């Protein structure tokens, strides 16, 4: 299913905040409620995976509008990627105090990542998968997972592992925003079989960081994906047009 949104999106373009210490994690260290809710419509629990050069605090700041609009439908839990991005990999836009993180490096020697790098090997993915397994064990259960940019690419791999029967990752749906297929040779196994996990793919027509074609390619590896496009760039859109897609998608998993 493809849904194109032409109305102007509500953009969340606030600059990343300076981070001098990790986000107080009361938001995701609180006792995890049971996935089954006693109310007529449960509040879903969604694990959120940030993009490259972000962390849980910066992603929390950037998703304020999304969290506000989903508050009656979903609780979003943030975690930071385990890989610390060295200052030498800065693109000039990030203050080193922001503690930029990543889920894997396409250039292990330089501890650098580029979504278009066609490499034979990467580093850090196993470490990130172990961090995710810990999050599922200690902070779960989760009904779904949301990923943005590199986090969405990681989520696709997570879906593949779940489909193969990996017991560490139990969830019902995936939301992939500005996602892409990894170009690394040692990641090809993740895309060999069609992924049947219910998925919503969101991307912008004018995204210059992850062009829409890359997100389309990733969605082609999923069976019956819901595809939502918007006229904006590299961000998570939250306006009336997008909510008409978000709400029914999430509601289909609420009991």
């Amino acid at each position: 299913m493809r849904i194109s949104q032409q109305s102007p999106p509500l953009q969340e373009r606030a600059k990343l905040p300076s981070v001098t210490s990790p986000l107080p994690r009361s938001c995701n260290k609180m006792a995890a409620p049971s996935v089954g809710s006693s109310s007529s419509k449960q509040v879903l629990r969604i694990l959120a995976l940030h993009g490259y050069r972000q962390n849980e605090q910066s992603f929390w700041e950037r998703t304020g509008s999304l969290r506000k609009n989903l508050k009656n439908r979903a609780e979003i839990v943030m975690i930071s990627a385990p890989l610390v991005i060295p200052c030498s990999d800065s693109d000039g836009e990030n203050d080193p105090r922001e503690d930029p993180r990543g889920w894997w490096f396409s250039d292990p020697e330089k501890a650098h990542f580029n979504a278009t790098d066609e490499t034979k090997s990467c580093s850090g993915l196993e470490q990130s998968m172990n961090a995710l397994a810990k999050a599922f064990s200690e902070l779960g259960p989760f009904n779904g997972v949301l990923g943005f940019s590199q986090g969405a690419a990681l989520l696709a791999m997570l879906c593949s592992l779940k489909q193969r029967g990996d017991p560490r990752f139990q969830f019902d749906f995936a939301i992939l925003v500005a996602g892409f297929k990894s170009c690394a040779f040692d990641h090809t196994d993740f895309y060999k079989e069609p992924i049947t996990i219910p998925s919503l793919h969101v991307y912008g027509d004018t995204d210059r960081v992850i062009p829409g074609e890359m997100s389309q390619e990733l969605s082609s590896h999923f069976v019956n994906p819901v595809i939502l496009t918007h006229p904006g760039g590299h961000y998570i859109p939250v306006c009336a047009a997008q909510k008409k897609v978000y709400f029914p998608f999430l509601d289909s998993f609420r009991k």
Side-chain angles (χ1 to χ4, degrees), residues 155-178:
L155 174 52
M157 301 179 198
L158 198 66
C159 289
S160 177
L161 290 177
K162 170 182 165 49
Q163 183 163 295
R164 297 181 205 174
D166 193 320
R168 299 175 298 172
F169 309 119
Q170 299 298 321
F171 57 98
D172 299 324
F173 62 87
I175 302 175
L176 305 94
V177 184

Side-chain angles (χ1 to χ4, degrees), residues 61-209:
E61 294 289 338
R62 284 175 175 256
T63 56
S65 180
L66 178 69
R67 290 184 286 105
K68 180 180 179 180
N69 280 281
L70 298 184
K71 66 179 181 179
N72 294 325
R73 285 178 166 84
E75 171 197 359
I76 298 180
V77 178
M78 307 276 180
I79 63 170
S80 287
L83 306 181
V84 178
I85 298 174
C87 295
S88 59
D89 188 39
S90 173
D91 60 3
E93 297 180 357
N94 295 303
D95 188 313
R97 292 174 298 173
E98 290 176 348
D99 188 29
R101 300 296 185 100
W103 298 105
W104 78 89
F105 296 125
S106 57
D107 186 338
E109 293 184 2
K110 297 181 179 179
H112 170 79
F113 172 79
N114 188 303
T116 60
D117 282 349
E118 296 184 0
T119 60
K120 292 184 178 180
S121 64
C122 294
S123 67
L125 182 62
E126 183 176 357
Q127 187 177 349
S128 290
M129 287 299 182
N130 289 335
L132 288 176
K134 183 177 180 181
F136 270 84
S137 174
E138 297 182 358
L139 305 175
F142 297 110
N143 301 93
V145 185
L146 178 151
F148 174 71
S149 198
Q150 193 191 40
L154 178 70
L155 174 52
M157 301 179 198
L158 198 66
C159 289
S160 177
L161 290 177
K162 170 182 165 49
Q163 183 163 295
R164 297 181 205 174
D166 193 320
R168 299 175 298 172
F169 309 119
Q170 299 298 321
F171 57 98
D172 299 324
F173 62 87
I175 302 175
L176 305 94
V177 184
F180 57 89
K181 177 181 177 181
S182 173
C183 296
F185 177 77
D186 54 3
H187 294 171
T188 55
D189 283 349
F190 291 113
Y191 311 104
K192 284 186 175 180
E193 298 294 332
I195 299 172
T196 60
I197 295 171
S199 61
L200 169 60
H201 301 254
V202 184
Y203 58 88
D205 294 330
T206 58
D207 192 333
R208 296 182 180 179
V209 180

